[in-house]
Amino acid sequence: MASPARYSSGVTNVPSSDLMGQLIIPDPSSVHMYYNHFDTYAAGDWTVTETQAAATEALTDADGGALLITNSAADNDLVGMQLVGESFTFESGKKLWGKVALTLGDATQSDCIVGLHVLDTSPIATAPSDGVYFRKDDGDTNWDFVIVASSASVIDVAAIGTATTSKVILGFYFDGVDTFEYYFNDAKIGESTTTGFPTTALSVSHAIQNGEAAAKTLTMDLHLWIKEG
């Protein structure tokens, strides 16, 4: 591995006349970022929807940190988790990046949704009215990329990647104008252009639902969301 470049005087992303012009690191206020690798977990940070009280959400042993969500055992039981406060909004002129890493305990007999969407206690049985997210349907092993605005489907790209019981990385980039690029395991799969996208505030979200009468698990390894300030 090559040695890192060393800038002893610092690096900045703002003009010298700016308030932060002499800061020796890039001005962090130029973006809004939520970053969670689940080294810690505070239940009060999340709005949790459980079909049955037997479900659990707890840290688990994993290099890099992980949150293990274990559902109860009836068919269609669900655990949904949304960060308190809908704090991300898609806006024209503002780029937005999203990246998640997760592992499904069952790649076929489970439903999963992860990304940004409005507060919703039933995000799998009835799709959120507004959101940009990844979806895995019961009975298949496909990750789909979905955009919904005002209850209307804007983009629904099927099978951008294969669901397995190994960790996968899902991500997208919005160029701030009209194009969404979608990624699977850090490789660009494609892009879609649209003039429609949700303009209401959205929450960082993930949910797991059983596809059969057996408890299913979702292990969240990473949420990373960044929007231009």
Side-chain angles (χ1 to χ4, degrees):
M1 179 183 293
S3 298
R6 304 179 191 280
Y7 301 99
S8 58
S9 297
V11 177
T12 186
N13 58 349
V14 295
S16 60
S17 58
D18 190 271
L19 169 64
M20 298 295 180
Q22 302 308 311
L23 188 66
I24 62 173
I25 62 172
D27 177 15
S29 67
S30 64
V31 298
H32 167 215
M33 180 171 71
Y34 176 75
Y35 175 61
N36 193 339
H37 235 309
F38 296 104
D39 289 299
T40 62
Y41 169 61
D45 291 346
W46 299 84
T47 298
V48 180
T49 300
E50 297 177 348
T51 305
Q52 297 292 334
T56 60
E57 307 84 34
L59 296 178
T60 189
D61 293 339
D63 182 44
L67 179 71
L68 176 62
I69 299 124
T70 304
N71 215 336
S72 40
D75 191 15
N76 293 323
D77 276 359
L78 171 135
V79 176
M81 299 182 65
Q82 298 192 264
L83 194 67
V84 172
E86 295 169 303
S87 59
F88 282 90
T89 305
F90 287 86
E91 294 182 70
S92 295
K94 300 291 182 70
K95 298 175 182 177
L96 195 152
W97 298 259
K99 183 175 183 177
V100 297
L102 59 91
T103 305
L104 291 173
D106 186 325
T108 304
Q109 292 298 327
S110 58
D111 307 75
C112 183
I113 182 172
V114 58
L116 300 175
H117 63 74
V118 292
L119 292 175
D120 192 325
T121 59
S122 183
I124 293 175
T126 56
S129 62
D130 294 88
V132 180
Y133 52 84
F134 299 92
R135 183 190 66 218
K136 211 292 293 181
D137 297 321
D138 177 28
D140 71 24
T141 55
N142 299 321
W143 282 106
D144 308 324
F145 177 65
V146 179
I147 300 178
V148 180
S150 300
S151 298
S153 176
V154 176
I155 290 174
D156 195 330
V157 184
I160 68 161
T162 301
T164 69
T165 54
S166 298
K167 183 170 74 173
V168 299
I169 301 171
L170 306 166
F172 68 80
Y173 160 64
F174 171 56
D175 71 352
V177 182
D178 59 4
T179 300
F180 287 81
E181 299 177 357
Y182 29 92
Y183 293 74
F184 183 76
N185 286 339
D186 286 329
K188 182 179 176 180
I189 302 303
E191 63 181 58
S192 297
T193 300
T194 176
T195 56
F197 50 82
T199 56
T200 189
L202 308 174
S203 178
V204 173
S205 307
H206 54 257
I208 181 75
Q209 179 173 295
N210 299 343
E212 60 182 355
K216 305 301 177 183
T217 63
L218 167 64
T219 303
M220 288 303 307
D221 179 77
L222 171 69
H223 270 292
L224 175 61
W225 302 95
I226 304 173
K227 179 190 171 184
E228 285 187 320

